[in-house]
Amino acid sequence: MSIIKAADLAYVRVRVPDLDRAERFFTDFGLQRSERTANALYMRGSGAAHHVHITEQGDPKFVSVAFTAHSEADLHTLSQVPGASRVENIEEPGGGKRVWLRDPDGHGVEVVHGIASLPPVAVTHHELNDAKVGLRRAGTLARYEKGPSNVLRIGHAVLMSPDPRAVVEWYRETLGLLWSDEVVDPEGNLVLSFNRLDKGEEYVDHHVLLLQRGAVRGVNHVAFEIRDVDDLMLGHEHLQAAGYDNVWGVGRHVYGAQVFDYWMDPWEFMYEHWTDIRGILDGTFESVVGPWGAALPERFALHAHE
Ligand SMILES: [Fe+2]
């Protein structure tokens, strides 16, 4: 029995030295400015979340990953965990309440509740025709605009750790995350651990938190859902034309089964666009080799930002 069950992933907080440059990157990536203060940038998707990413001004650093709690009572429960902060007001745009924790690798974990919602931003969806179903958009006109992808929401975070077992057990015990898939090497060491939210009988994304074995304690990447495959390709070309650094993609994953595209920001923080992820209720096991797209680059596998 976990201490609480997290409701969702809320945002990730990093530090970089140039907020103007960060805002340009995230705008090209497909996020929208929610608020900007003297020392922090709050970016949103087109969903109702007030922000899905926070950039603070400072030396490059991964600060924290934030999860939403179902209730303020859950925050009070968490505040009893050894090392947890008291329940505090969030003195930032969007407000709300928060408890700070630290995972076994020392990363900040914010658990939040009551942050303001915003009216969602309308996004046009075009149905995709295929041979089985036929003409889903018969009689309608589909026109796609060149430009950034449309980020809808934050989907998952990936942390690297020399001891992923201890870290993932902490997240499961503290936030009620559930096992989806694990990859173990021939010596029995945990290499990858995919974990999802526990929403009972509701299908959820295959993973909201992935722990990856590696030398560095840090964030490998943070992933955002975009509209569809066309939106992903439009965003790919937009980021490429703007001169950004494409790490891996476009391709199709095995475990989450999503179409992916990974980009590095100017400070080596890595962000993913994805669409068409697998929704699951139970854990499974499959091969790690994808059906299409480039093989896993070593650069990707070894990457983490402290
Ligand atoms: Fe990912």
Side-chain angles (χ1 to χ4, degrees):
M1 189 67 186
S2 59
I3 298 169
I4 71 160
K5 286 182 182 179
D8 211 343
L9 184 62
Y11 52 83
V12 165
R13 185 188 299 266
V14 303
R15 257 175 228 149
V16 306
D18 185 341
L19 293 186
D20 288 337
R21 205 169 167 205
E23 185 169 348
R24 275 202 303 281
F25 170 79
F26 283 117
T27 303
D28 284 328
F29 188 77
L31 290 159
Q32 301 169 52
R33 184 208 278 199
S34 184
E35 294 243 14
R36 172 115 175 233
T37 63
N39 52 17
L41 170 67
Y42 300 80
M43 298 296 285
R44 66 174 295 193
S46 55
H50 185 277
H51 47 269
V52 295
H53 190 281
I54 301 177
T55 313
E56 298 177 352
Q57 176 127 26
D59 291 335
K61 179 179 168 53
F62 165 52
V63 178
S64 59
V65 57
F67 289 85
T68 312
H70 283 289
S71 67
E72 197 175 320
D74 279 353
L75 299 189
H76 287 282
T77 303
L78 279 173
S79 70
Q80 305 305 311
V81 172
S85 76
R86 295 194 301 183
V87 179
E88 62 184 27
N89 292 322
I90 302 177
E91 305 292 345
E92 290 180 271
K97 292 189 186 289
R98 166 174 59 205
V99 170
W100 275 99
L101 301 126
R102 290 216 172 269
D103 76 13
D105 275 346
H107 302 309
V109 178
E110 302 175 54
V111 183
V112 301
H113 183 260
I115 295 178
S117 295
L118 296 173
V121 178
V123 175
T124 305
H125 285 268
H126 299 299
E127 296 291 337
L128 202 60
N129 296 326
D130 67 36
K132 184 179 176 201
V133 176
L135 298 176
R136 286 194 183 89
R137 61 168 192 274
T140 66
L141 190 64
R143 288 285 181 270
Y144 298 90
E145 300 278 331
K146 280 189 175 294
S149 297
N150 290 271
V151 170
L152 308 176
R153 65 182 177 102
I154 190 168
H156 60 264
V158 179
L159 303 180
M160 181 182 280
S161 174
D163 186 7
R165 174 60 69 203
V167 177
V168 78
E169 283 181 359
W170 184 89
Y171 280 96
R172 288 176 188 166
E173 286 165 15
T174 309
L175 300 175
L177 304 188
L178 298 176
W179 179 95
S180 288
D181 276 305
E182 291 196 335
V183 177
V184 178
D185 71 14
E187 288 76 48
N189 299 308
L190 181 62
V191 178
L192 295 172
S193 174
F194 295 87
N195 299 270
R196 67 188 185 279
L197 296 166
D198 182 357
K199 293 198 180 179
E201 291 303 299
E202 187 181 330
Y203 275 82
V204 295
D205 290 348
H206 172 267
H207 54 285
V208 70
L209 183 74
L210 166 58
L211 261 293
Q212 171 184 345
R213 176 176 297 277
V216 182
R217 290 177 175 83
V219 60
N220 170 267
H221 72 269
V222 181
F224 297 89
E225 184 177 20
I226 49 87
R227 188 180 59 193
D228 55 22
V229 170
D230 288 289
D231 198 39
L232 187 133
M233 294 307 303
L234 289 162
H236 182 94
E237 292 191 357
H238 179 80
L239 286 161
Q240 201 163 46
Y244 289 109
D245 178 9
N246 180 230
V247 182
W248 188 21
V250 175
R252 173 75 81 169
H253 276 311
V254 172
Y255 282 98
Q258 77 269 35
V259 179
F260 63 82
D261 198 20
Y262 293 94
W263 293 87
M264 211 63 104
D265 84 354
W267 303 277
E268 299 272 306
F269 286 106
M270 187 158 59
Y271 297 98
E272 174 187 2
H273 281 150
W274 62 259
T275 186
D276 194 20
I277 204 167
R278 189 166 117 216
I280 70 164
L281 278 175
D282 297 302
T284 54
F285 180 78
E286 293 176 72
S287 155
V288 76
V289 181
W292 56 269
L296 172 69
E298 186 179 58
R299 176 185 176 213
F300 179 94
L302 299 179
H303 180 79
H305 200 307
E306 293 175 289

